């Protein structure tokens, strides 16, 4: 049988391919920190986000919904400085 982390790694790779992104990651929330469970491409080289109250990730955690951002430079829900530092443009 496959280990859950291996399955998540395969899903991350396929999500990256399907969406045409430079990376994909699966992270779980623990307080205000995200714990990386699997990642592919450029996302595998980035540090996990901090899910602060004012962040898009924090909004996902609070709402229990999937949220999408096409442009971190113009989306008011995104911490632009954090996105720039991580090299992330969409999420």
């Amino acid at each position: 049988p496959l280990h859950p982390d291996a399955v998540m790694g395969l899903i991350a790779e396929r999500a990256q391919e399907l969406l045409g992104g430079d990376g994909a990651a699966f992270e779980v929330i623990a307080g205000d920190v995200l714990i990386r469970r699997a990642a592919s491409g450029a996302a595998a080289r980035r540090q996990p986000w901090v899910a602060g109250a004012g962040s898009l990730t924090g909004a996902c955690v609070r709402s229990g919904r999937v949220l999408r951002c096409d442009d971190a430079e113009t989306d008011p829900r995104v911490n632009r400085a954090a996105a720039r530092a991580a090299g992330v443009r969409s999420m």
Side-chain angles (χ1 to χ4, degrees):
L2 290 176
H3 188 275
D5 288 344
V7 172
M8 283 188 284
L10 291 171
I11 293 170
E13 290 172 9
R14 296 306 174 262
Q16 176 186 341
E17 290 173 13
L18 178 66
L19 298 171
D22 69 347
F26 283 100
E27 297 165 340
V28 294
I29 188 80
D32 280 346
V33 177
L34 293 176
I35 299 171
R36 175 100 16 105
R37 295 292 304 269
S40 67
R45 298 183 295 276
R46 294 185 186 118
Q47 293 297 316
W49 294 91
V50 174
S55 70
L56 184 64
T57 303
C60 288
V61 171
R62 284 190 312 281
S63 70
R65 296 178 44 227
V66 174
L67 300 176
R68 175 180 161 168
C69 166
D70 292 321
D71 189 348
E73 288 295 315
T74 61
D75 192 318
R77 303 170 299 171
V78 175
N79 178 328
R80 281 184 282 292
R84 284 180 191 147
V88 173
R89 188 65 187 250
S90 61
M91 60 195 88

